[in-house]
Amino acid sequence: MIEFRDVSKVYDNGTVALKNVNLRIDRGEFVFIVGASGAGKSTFLKTIMREEVPSSGSIMINNYDLTKMSKREIPYYRRTLGIVFQDFRLIPKMTVYDNVEPTGNVDPEMSYEIVELLDRINENGTTVIMVTHEHELVKQFDHRIVVIDNGEVVSDMANGGVLHYDSKTGYQP
């Protein structure tokens, strides 16, 4: 289980990346996190990875309290996660297979196939969180959609919800 309780993140330069985020993702769920560039999606992920610590609030993931975790505990916690980055964060000690980044810079058909693969992984009980701004891809799957805008969760739609994307106003139910 992943639970954000009143999580805010303000960077040293004053940028407010997350504002009082309250979100619960149960074990075995498949959730798309969507939003425009700069909405807070990357900071959301960085807090899950414990790369960033919230300025306030708490994050509980699989009985780990990320806000009270010691530096020594972080590597053990991260071993419970499987993360694929869109950029090239290659880890020199890992094989090419272990370093694969599935959806960055691929065509729409390949993105669809990758989500189908993640779908099959999810069917076996693995929780999947996919952060994307590819609204056309999200609409093709029947999963929960959480929309982040200006650091806030502005929409949380259960399976079957329909979102429309407008380039001026963003995601709208």
Side-chain angles (χ1 to χ4, degrees), residues 31-34 41-42 44-45 86 103 129-133:
V31 180
F32 286 109
I33 307 291
V34 298
K41 301 183 308 291
S42 293
F44 176 80
L45 274 186
Q86 71 176 5
T103 59
I129 300 172
M130 183 170 178
V131 176
T132 184
H133 58 271

Side-chain angles (χ1 to χ4, degrees), residues 9 17 43 61 65 74 89 102 104 117 138 148 157 165-166 169:
K9 174 63 180 176
T43 300
I61 300 179
D65 185 338
I74 295 171
R89 292 190 186 191
L117 176 62
V138 170
I148 298 178
M157 302 182 76
Y165 182 79
D166 180 278
T169 60

Side-chain angles (χ1 to χ4, degrees), residues 57-140:
S58 66
I59 302 172
M60 294 292 297
I61 300 179
N62 296 333
N63 298 320
Y64 285 97
D65 185 338
L66 273 56
T67 53
K68 296 180 181 173
M69 183 178 286
S70 70
K71 286 189 178 192
R72 196 177 93 253
E73 294 174 289
I74 295 171
Y76 298 103
Y77 160 70
R78 287 184 180 158
R79 289 179 191 147
T80 69
L81 306 176
I83 301 169
V84 181
F85 300 96
Q86 71 176 5
D87 56 3
F88 297 102
R89 292 190 186 191
L90 299 178
I91 301 170
K93 295 180 181 178
M94 295 177 75
T95 66
V96 171
Y97 178 79
D98 291 334
N99 266 299
V100 172
E101 296 98 352
T103 59
N105 301 316
V106 297
D107 61 70
E109 184 177 324
M110 181 62 78
S111 291
Y112 184 88
E113 290 175 16
I114 291 165
V115 177
E116 282 186 321
L117 176 62
L118 292 172
D119 230 0
R120 289 197 300 273
I121 291 168
N122 175 250
E123 287 172 4
N124 290 321
T126 301
T127 305
V128 175
I129 300 172
M130 183 170 178
V131 176
T132 184
H133 58 271
E134 295 181 43
H135 49 88
E136 289 302 317
L137 179 66
V138 170
K139 292 191 313 189
Q140 296 180 46

